[in-house]
């Protein structure tokens, strides 16, 4: 995905998401966090495609790596955590026993020095330029026995799916045009139109599927466990 889109969106991102999704994305996030916490409560977290850092804020693990390529999003992440009392030291943020490392890079290319207990991608995977390479790189940083949690919008071909696509391709860009972001939202709508559940799952053949749930109206939640 063109990072410039997200650079432009960064400051208004959370507001726009809430506006165009009628708050549904936040409900998905809450469902996802609740489900993840049933399996794992703390440890080392990698949150990929972090945007403004909301997943990390919600999961609140002791050590968190936020992988985000957009420079403007990175600035928003730093601001958001400073508001929560974190002290900044370059790309490291610290508060009491909690540490956050902000890695300005892509899923495909990032490098860190340790393995995670949990990797999460909330509406992230669809944005990777090379999904196979991104997931392979992420997998190399997950401990055996660790979890990979995913929420993503995926295409469905029934009436509801067509209605959501129409809304995303026509109505959302119209709403976004009032904020000078019509073309950006057209591109985001196009990326949903062709993305299928299989595009995710074919990269996790070695994992156990712990949770595979549809989220109304057009997303999937997966929690996968790395067995070897
Ligand atoms: C829809 S937002 C993710 C939302 C976020 N996870 C949340 O919890 O609200 C997509 C993010 O993916 C990032 N992105 C784009 N290409 C990427 C890549 N190749 N690897 C990782 N992140 C990428 C964008 O900069 C953007 O911030």
């Amino acid at each position: 995905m063109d990072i410039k889109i997200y650079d432009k969106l960064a400051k208004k991102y959370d507001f726009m998401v809430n506006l165009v999704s009628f708050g549904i994305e936040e409900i998905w996030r809450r469902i996802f966090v609740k489900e993840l916490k049933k399996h794992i409560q703390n440890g080392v977290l990698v949150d990929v495609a972090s945007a403004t850092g909301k997943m990390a804020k919600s999961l609140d693990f002791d050590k968190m790596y936020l992988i985000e390529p957009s420079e403007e999003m990175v600035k928003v992440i730093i601001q958001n955590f400073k508001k929560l009392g974190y002290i900044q030291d370059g790309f490291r943020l610290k508060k009491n026993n909690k540490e956050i490392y902000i890695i300005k890079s892509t899923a495909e290319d990032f490098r860190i020095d340790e393995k995670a207990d949990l990797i999460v991608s909330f509406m992230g995977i669809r944005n990777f330029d090379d999904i196979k390479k991104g997931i392979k790189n992420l997998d190399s940083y997950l401990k055996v026995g660790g979890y990979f949690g995913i929420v993503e919008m995926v295409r469905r071909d029934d009436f509801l799916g067509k209605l959501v696509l129409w809304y995303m391709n026509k109505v959302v860009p119209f709403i976004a045009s009032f904020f000078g972001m019509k073309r950006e939202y057209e591109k985001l709508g196009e990326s949903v139109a062709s993305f299928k559940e299989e595009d995710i799952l074919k990269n996790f053949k070695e994992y156990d599927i712990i949770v595979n749930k549809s989220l109304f109206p057009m997303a999937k939640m997966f929690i996968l466990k790395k067995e070897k």
Side-chain angles (χ1 to χ4, degrees):
M1 181 68 73
D2 187 353
I3 300 303
K4 285 196 202 97
I5 295 182
Y6 285 106
D7 277 337
K8 191 168 171 197
L9 279 177
K11 287 199 182 91
K12 295 189 192 126
Y13 181 78
D14 290 332
F15 166 76
M16 288 299 288
V17 168
N18 272 330
L19 179 74
V20 302
S21 79
F22 301 107
I24 289 177
E25 238 191 73
E26 271 317 295
I27 298 173
W28 292 348
R29 189 189 305 281
R30 268 183 239 150
I31 296 172
F32 185 43
V33 168
K34 197 170 165 201
E35 195 63 45
L36 284 166
K37 293 266 183 183
K38 286 183 196 164
H39 303 280
I40 178 159
Q41 292 77 41
N42 209 342
V44 177
L45 169 75
V46 168
D47 171 33
V48 67
S50 310
T52 61
K54 275 193 157 185
M55 271 322 297
K57 197 172 146 192
S58 302
L59 285 163
D60 196 29
F61 277 29
D62 287 347
K63 192 163 190 185
M64 303 195 277
Y65 291 89
L66 275 58
I67 318 295
E68 172 52 57
S70 152
E71 192 162 350
E72 294 304 314
M73 286 290 191
V74 165
K75 287 183 194 160
V76 176
I77 294 172
I78 293 173
Q79 260 175 24
N80 285 347
F81 280 97
K82 279 168 90 174
K83 277 185 205 150
L84 293 174
Y86 279 79
I87 307 292
Q88 182 187 0
D89 173 14
F91 287 101
R92 178 171 170 260
L93 293 151
K94 191 150 174 37
K95 182 175 141 186
N96 305 325
N97 62 334
K98 302 214 181 269
E99 262 185 312
I100 299 174
Y101 290 87
I102 299 168
I103 316 289
K104 194 190 145 310
S105 183
T106 60
E108 294 90 329
D109 294 321
F110 82 93
R111 298 277 173 269
I112 54 177
D113 291 331
E114 66 181 320
K115 292 197 175 195
D117 300 286
L118 171 65
I119 295 180
V120 288
S121 169
F122 182 85
M123 309 288 277
I125 286 182
R126 190 165 33 88
N127 294 277
F128 300 176
D129 290 317
D130 183 338
I131 292 175
K132 189 173 174 199
K133 186 176 171 198
I135 293 177
K136 194 164 178 239
N137 190 34
L138 286 159
D139 169 74
S140 72
Y141 291 109
L142 184 61
K143 293 176 190 168
V144 173
Y147 294 89
F148 205 126
I150 297 166
V151 169
E152 194 54 76
M153 286 193 84
V154 290
R155 186 192 173 96
R156 50 188 279 184
D157 290 317
D158 56 4
F159 175 72
L160 184 61
K162 289 194 177 109
L163 189 68
V164 174
L165 275 185
W166 170 80
Y167 173 75
M168 291 205 58
N169 288 317
K170 302 285 180 211
V171 183
V172 171
F174 175 71
I175 300 172
S177 68
F178 292 98
F179 301 90
M181 288 187 287
K182 182 168 188 275
R183 187 65 201 123
E184 284 72 19
Y185 274 88
E186 276 170 353
K187 286 196 186 163
L188 293 179
E190 284 159 17
S191 74
V192 178
S194 58
F195 200 67
K196 300 197 193 73
E197 180 174 333
E198 184 48 26
D199 296 327
I200 301 172
L201 286 182
K202 69 181 177 200
N203 297 291
F204 289 96
K205 297 238 158 76
E206 310 259 291
Y207 282 63
D208 271 355
I209 301 177
I210 310 287
V211 176
N212 175 352
K213 205 168 168 183
S214 295
L215 299 175
F216 179 83
M218 209 171 100
K220 289 292 294 201
M221 169 170 73
F222 300 110
I223 298 179
L224 307 140
K225 188 166 187 194
K226 182 168 175 172
E227 290 299 356
K228 51 183 172 174

